[in-house]
Amino acid sequence: MVKAVVGVNWGDEGKGKITDTLAEKADIVIRFQGGANAGHTIVNDYGKFALHLLPSGVFHQDIVNILGNGVAFDIDKFVNEMADITSKGVPEPNIMISDRIQVMMPYHILFDTLEEERLAGKSFGSTKSGIAPFYSDKFAKIGWQINEFFQDDDVLMEKINRVADIKDAVLINLYHKEGIDRKGLLNWIKERRDKVKPYLKDVSLYLDKALKENKTVLLEGQLGTMKDPDHGIYPMVTSSSPIAGYGAIGAGIPPYEIKEIVAVTKAYSSAVGAGAFVSEVFGDEAVSLRNHGGDGGEYGATTGRPRRVGWYDLVASKYGCRLQGATDVAFTVLDDLGYLDEIPVCVAYELDGKEITDFPVTKDLERCKPVYKVFKGWKCDIRGIKNYEDLPQETKDYVEFIEEKLGYPITIISNGPAREDIIYRKSPLK
Ligand code: GDP
Ligand code: MG
């Protein structure tokens, strides 16, 4: 059985925590898209970790953690992250990497950095992890599948020359830099390929067998619907699809195997990078929400940048759940709202004098203003509560209103950053 854990909004909804928690009952966890630009925060018995590339199942020794073919594979970051977690006492995880995964090359990171500099104030707010240049090359058919690294020098050099001819044209003429060091790139490949060789496997074949043996597989998404290149706030999006349906491609499994889609959404909103964010708040209100947010404030797990924050956005979230195909909604970070006297929820957008509740295309989104309904706060700490019935009435009112308007069942509530801070609930919608 395959279950996907995916983001409803702009990312940072708490997918890492939910994946780590659900991994207790899984056999395999697989990342199917994105790369080391992810930041999944996990708090467990080993401590607090921000995972960037490794799947969030690595803290469970009895499960297999896979980097699927859809991931942007940064070898150095992979090696460093493995060393980092093991140095903090986590036993060596069981890792498998698709032999069709493509490799993040040093020039991808260079191009990402140079382009952000060139765009200056108009930049996308990239994490400069090389993601956009990587996926552009993949679809322009000049990417590197890891298996290609295991070829003779002359074959490798031929491809390096072919790619570098294209890259140099831009490096020299647009960015006024030196061309690619081609011999250096050959050495770069040869220095790294043996480090990853033991992990490489025909992952889709392995998963086919695992599914026939009734194993439970978790597909772990990065970012969320709003960052999807097709359905998100294009062009302020990421370069691979964070939608559950793409899990079939990025892992190499049949789409009909995905039986459950846990769509993760936070009890307020946060976003990183540029782009329209209708329910964003500013000033002191934003500072309080940011500092109360997440586990120790809403600051990027990869970059440390302060995240943009705002109230819960039902218009965006209903759309996000629909595109993900949510069978279950995990509603997270609810505990952090306990400080508020009143909690606004964005129930509609005002667009050119009309109220709308269906998420518009980006060009219209820019002109949308939030329409709020205000809820009474519960003014207490709800961490430690294990049963839904034991939550304050105001908290239940908040959850049930959002559930009804979303139209998708909230079956999981996260009321703290740790594994045990979780409430499973029977939803009337299910
Ligand atoms: P991801 O990218 O979706 O995995 O989310 P991040 O880890 O980037 O951001 C979520 C933040 O919220 C992290 O700081 C988590 O530790 C924290 N977090 C997750 N669930 C909860 C929760 O229920 N309560 C609180 N207080 N923090 C949470
Ligand atoms: Mg994150």
Side-chain angles (χ1 to χ4, degrees):
M1 198 271 267
V2 182
K3 198 184 271 201
V5 180
V6 286
V8 171
N9 306 98
W10 298 264
D12 304 323
E13 299 94 344
K15 297 175 294 293
K17 163 185 168 166
I18 298 294
T19 306
D20 175 60
T21 306
L22 296 180
E24 268 163 35
K25 293 203 184 109
D27 302 295
I28 297 164
V29 178
I30 171 161
R31 282 273 314 264
F32 62 88
Q33 46 89 217
N37 56 332
H40 297 169
T41 315
I42 294 171
V43 184
N44 56 29
D45 296 344
Y46 297 106
K48 180 171 172 173
F49 298 86
L51 295 180
H52 303 292
L53 194 57
L54 292 177
S56 296
V58 290
F59 302 101
H60 300 265
Q61 274 60 60
D62 45 354
I63 67 181
V64 179
N65 288 277
I66 301 180
L67 292 178
N69 54 277
V71 168
F73 182 42
D74 186 318
I75 299 178
D76 291 353
K77 293 208 174 126
F78 167 75
V79 170
N80 291 342
E81 205 163 304
M82 285 284 275
D84 180 56
I85 64 164
T86 49
S87 76
K88 290 177 182 153
V90 180
E92 181 111 3
N94 195 348
I95 302 273
M96 197 183 284
I97 299 172
S98 167
D99 57 7
R100 290 172 183 272
I101 205 168
Q102 294 214 2
V103 180
M104 178 64 69
M105 303 300 280
Y107 52 80
H108 290 140
I109 298 166
L110 175 69
F111 272 79
D112 204 355
T113 312
L114 293 173
E115 184 61 7
E116 284 283 299
E117 274 167 25
R118 190 180 74 89
L119 292 173
K122 294 208 167 109
S123 80
F124 290 83
S126 158
T127 59
K128 305 191 185 81
S129 311
I131 300 295
F134 168 93
Y135 282 106
S136 305
D137 280 6
K138 177 172 175 174
F139 293 105
K141 296 172 285 189
I142 51 169
W144 293 83
Q145 280 197 349
I146 187 77
N147 58 72
E148 293 177 71
F149 276 22
F150 302 92
Q151 298 180 100
D152 292 340
D153 285 10
D154 54 333
V155 182
L156 289 171
M157 211 53 220
E158 196 185 305
K159 176 152 178 181
I160 288 172
N161 282 326
R162 183 159 58 86
V163 175
D165 284 347
I166 302 168
K167 298 292 162 200
D168 284 359
V170 182
L171 268 178
I172 295 165
N173 296 307
L174 182 66
Y175 298 122
H176 310 295
K177 301 283 175 199
E178 280 180 17
I180 286 177
D181 170 5
R182 301 178 184 208
K183 279 257 160 54
L185 196 57
L186 179 66
N187 290 334
W188 185 92
I189 291 172
K190 289 164 73 179
E191 279 160 20
R192 278 159 186 79
R193 62 188 174 188
D194 292 333
K195 291 188 195 165
V196 295
K197 201 171 179 190
Y199 303 107
L200 302 182
K201 196 140 181 173
D202 182 339
V203 163
S204 68
L205 190 63
Y206 173 82
L207 289 174
D208 183 56
K209 193 162 164 285
L211 290 172
K212 287 185 175 125
E213 291 166 359
N214 288 322
K215 295 269 186 348
T216 302
V217 179
L218 287 188
L219 294 172
E220 179 181 16
Q222 181 219 13
L223 293 165
T225 310
M226 300 301 139
K227 296 286 184 178
D228 182 73
D230 288 270
H231 300 288
I233 52 170
Y234 190 85
M236 300 302 177
V237 294
T238 193
S239 307
S240 67
S241 174
I243 304 268
Y246 189 74
I249 314 286
I253 52 163
Y256 57 76
E257 292 286 358
I258 308 174
K259 305 283 190 234
E260 278 181 34
I261 296 168
V262 179
V264 186
T265 188
K266 196 153 54 180
Y268 55 91
S269 300
S270 78
V272 290
F277 179 6
V278 176
S279 66
E280 183 169 14
V281 295
F282 303 92
D284 292 347
E285 200 177 28
V287 172
S288 311
L289 187 55
R290 182 177 304 117
N291 290 340
H292 280 97
D295 177 37
E298 287 286 356
Y299 296 90
T302 302
T303 56
R305 292 187 290 200
R307 290 174 180 157
R308 299 163 70 192
V309 290
W311 303 121
Y312 194 75
D313 182 340
L314 271 168
V315 181
S317 301
K318 189 177 63 160
Y319 176 79
C321 286
R322 174 158 67 80
L323 268 301
Q324 290 292 8
T327 62
D328 293 83
V329 174
F331 197 55
T332 62
V333 205
L334 187 58
D335 52 303
D336 280 346
L337 299 182
Y339 76 99
L340 289 157
D341 295 320
E342 290 187 324
I343 313 173
V345 174
C346 174
V347 293
Y349 295 162
E350 192 193 305
L351 174 63
D352 304 335
K354 281 205 202 94
E355 265 190 30
I356 58 166
T357 53
D358 289 319
F359 194 71
V361 294
T362 310
K363 81 170 175 51
D364 295 337
L365 186 67
E366 308 281 354
R367 297 196 309 285
C368 287
K369 302 268 176 298
V371 177
Y372 289 116
K373 177 176 162 71
V374 178
F375 284 77
K376 192 161 171 274
W378 44 91
K379 296 293 283 180
C380 66
D381 186 4
I382 59 165
R383 278 197 203 179
I385 295 177
K386 301 278 177 211
N387 298 311
Y388 183 72
E389 292 67 39
D390 299 337
L391 287 169
Q393 191 54 47
E394 291 84 355
T395 317
K396 287 189 277 194
D397 289 346
Y398 186 74
V399 172
E400 286 164 29
F401 176 81
I402 286 173
E403 175 178 57
E404 193 209 318
K405 293 291 174 204
L406 279 180
Y408 294 90
I410 297 181
T411 57
I412 302 173
I413 289 167
S414 176
N415 58 336
R419 256 185 210 168
E420 57 275 15
D421 300 322
I422 198 127
I423 299 172
Y424 295 99
R425 161 175 185 259
K426 197 142 180 44
S427 159
L429 296 184
K430 216 174 173 186

